[in-house]
Amino acid sequence: MQFHTFLARTPLAVIVIAQLFGTSLWFSVNGVGLALQEAVGLSESDLGLLTIAVQAGFISGTLLIATTGLADRIRASHLFAFSAVLGALINAAFIGVAESVTLAAVARFATGLCLAGIYPLGMKLVVSWTPSHAGAALGWLVGMLTLGIASPHLLRGLTLHLPWQWPLLLASLLALVAALLIFRLGVGPHLPATAKSGRPWAGLAAFKQPRFRAAALGYFGHCWELYALWALVPFLVARELERLGAANGAQPWLSFAVIALGLPGCVLAGKWSRHIGSDRVACVALAVSGTLCLVYPLLGSASPWLLLALLGVWGVSVIADSAQFSALASATAPVERLGAALAMMNAIGFGLTIPSIALVTALWSSQSLAVIWWLVPGPILGLIAMRGFSSHQHLVKTVRGNR
């Protein structure tokens, strides 16, 4: 009972830590990608396929829970916990099938299905506990998602002299801890624990709202860029280390650092949103990352230190807008269908990550830095969509919360 009371007093901290641990499953294979290339002979395109498989599984899972109403009919804490446990088991099972690209892709697809019960439900749990400042709270949540996605690189760095299987097992262990934390916490008091009914495709109804639609379209542009960049980070870091003549052992640490810088980016964006609004913060972050998409390939012959520094800036900005788009969507979606609306938005957004990841991973060996230009349309179209967002006073109050 005392443990449960402690959890209830610190719900946001519990949710974001569970998000960190649960989403460590997402890029767990990418963290050991170079080791897998050496151990089982995977190519860059094979690693791209495994990343796409996770994304496809996540999309399928979010569509499933959105169209069936499961996102709102089942208690969010229960669905989160079940998904984390199942994802941990499947992630560990990947070790046994890694030598077969086909079976490995199936395992990663199943892991993505489980992640669909973690990320969107984590957003719903945050809103259920802290609705008055969703932008700042979701900034922490997405920041922990970022750190969770970066964590496989950290785990690989910590276990560099151990077999590649160790980081995967550690990621599974973290997911089990996440399941325990959320199961014990439960759902907050500010949203219904479950909906009375679950109409198919209920999440699509939110797109009738112009402000939700604008926020969602901005989010879609952001998604086109984000995961493709994260998939490229190990290659971009390795390129600069080679130019510096540095040891390959630094690659996982620097890859972790670049992606993990998204955590302070999300947190600072959340704080900033309480003063100027989530819509403006999202547009600034999207503009910065879009500018880097345009400029970075032009600087390919510049100092490796400059390019690594720009990667750090990119790591901060590329994810900083994500929570703000989610906060804007949460503020404009029907409350009784919030889980379905967020899941549907996630499904469409992550659907756009598949072609972008496929493009950059397949073309990296032939185009090198020029593949980054394939990401430019995302930020541009996202910024155009956000021009239609109208910050009426009641929405601004909802998104900014208490100053």
Side-chain angles (χ1 to χ4, degrees):
M1 182 63 69
Q2 291 180 348
F3 179 63
H4 187 271
T5 302
F6 171 76
L7 294 180
R9 289 178 179 175
T10 57
L12 180 59
V14 172
I15 296 168
V16 298
I17 291 172
Q19 184 85 336
L20 163 62
F21 290 173
T23 54
S24 66
L25 302 174
W26 211 311
F27 270 33
S28 59
V29 170
N30 298 72
V32 295
L34 296 180
L36 279 173
Q37 286 181 291
E38 296 176 0
V40 300
L42 295 182
S43 65
E44 287 91 348
S45 59
D46 291 333
L47 290 174
L49 173 64
L50 297 182
T51 304
I52 289 170
V54 178
Q55 303 300 89
F58 180 82
I59 295 159
S60 301
T62 49
L63 282 174
L64 175 65
I65 64 175
T67 57
T68 61
L70 289 175
D72 298 299
R73 294 170 60 188
I74 299 176
R75 288 180 67 88
S77 56
H78 290 177
L79 186 53
F80 184 112
F82 173 78
S83 300
V85 170
L86 187 58
L89 296 176
I90 296 170
N91 184 68
F94 173 89
I95 294 171
V97 299
E99 293 186 2
S100 168
V101 175
T102 301
L103 293 177
V106 171
R108 296 308 291 162
F109 178 86
T111 303
L113 283 174
C114 296
L115 286 164
I118 295 175
Y119 180 40
L121 276 297
M123 287 193 288
K124 182 176 180 179
L125 285 167
V126 164
V127 175
S128 77
W129 285 99
T130 58
S132 60
H133 20 80
L138 287 172
W140 276 102
L141 185 79
V142 177
M144 285 302 183
L145 163 70
T146 307
L147 197 59
I149 287 175
S151 64
H153 298 290
L154 174 62
L155 294 175
R156 184 54 184 162
L158 293 172
T159 60
L160 193 59
H161 301 294
L162 295 174
W164 60 265
Q165 293 89 341
W166 278 91
L168 294 175
L169 294 174
L170 290 173
S172 291
L173 178 61
L174 291 176
L176 293 175
V177 175
L180 175 62
L181 289 173
I182 292 298
F183 186 80
R184 295 296 301 271
L185 175 66
V187 179
H190 300 290
L191 288 176
T194 61
K196 293 182 180 180
S197 62
R199 291 183 294 104
W201 302 99
L204 286 176
F207 285 87
K208 296 178 181 179
Q209 303 293 329
R211 291 188 298 274
F212 178 90
R213 188 167 59 248
L217 290 173
Y219 175 77
F220 299 158
H222 149 83
C223 284
W224 175 265
E225 175 195 14
L226 175 64
Y227 279 84
L229 173 65
W230 279 349
L232 280 178
V233 163
F235 302 116
L236 294 172
V237 169
R239 178 185 185 271
E240 303 315 317
L241 289 177
E242 183 179 355
R243 294 175 66 209
L244 288 169
N248 286 336
Q251 186 268 342
W253 294 99
L254 284 175
S255 297
F256 167 76
V258 169
I259 298 174
L261 281 170
L263 170 60
C266 288
V267 173
L268 290 174
K271 291 183 177 179
W272 195 17
S273 72
R274 298 178 68 179
H275 297 285
I276 67 170
S278 290
D279 54 332
R280 293 181 181 178
V281 173
C283 288
V284 169
L286 199 56
V288 171
S289 63
T291 300
L292 285 167
C293 282
L294 285 169
V295 172
Y296 195 93
L298 299 175
L299 300 174
S301 60
S303 165
W305 293 111
L306 173 62
L307 290 178
L308 288 172
L310 288 177
L311 270 181
V313 176
W314 208 346
V316 172
S317 62
V318 74
I319 186 64
D321 48 358
S322 184
Q324 306 315 311
F325 285 128
S326 297
L328 293 168
S330 299
T332 52
V335 173
E336 70 279 5
R337 297 291 172 224
L338 179 59
L342 292 177
M344 186 64 69
M345 186 179 80
N346 284 162
I348 298 172
F350 279 82
L352 293 170
T353 69
I354 290 180
S356 64
I357 291 172
L359 277 171
V360 299
T361 55
L363 298 177
W364 170 258
S365 60
S366 61
Q367 295 188 7
S368 188
L369 295 184
V371 300
I372 294 173
W373 281 327
W374 289 102
L375 306 183
V376 173
I380 291 177
L381 295 177
L383 288 169
I384 292 173
M386 283 299 291
R387 292 181 63 185
F389 193 92
S390 176
S391 298
H392 292 293
Q393 188 65 27
H394 72 277
L395 177 61
V396 173
K397 289 181 178 178
T398 303
V399 173
R400 293 184 188 176
N402 298 327
R403 293 194 177 186

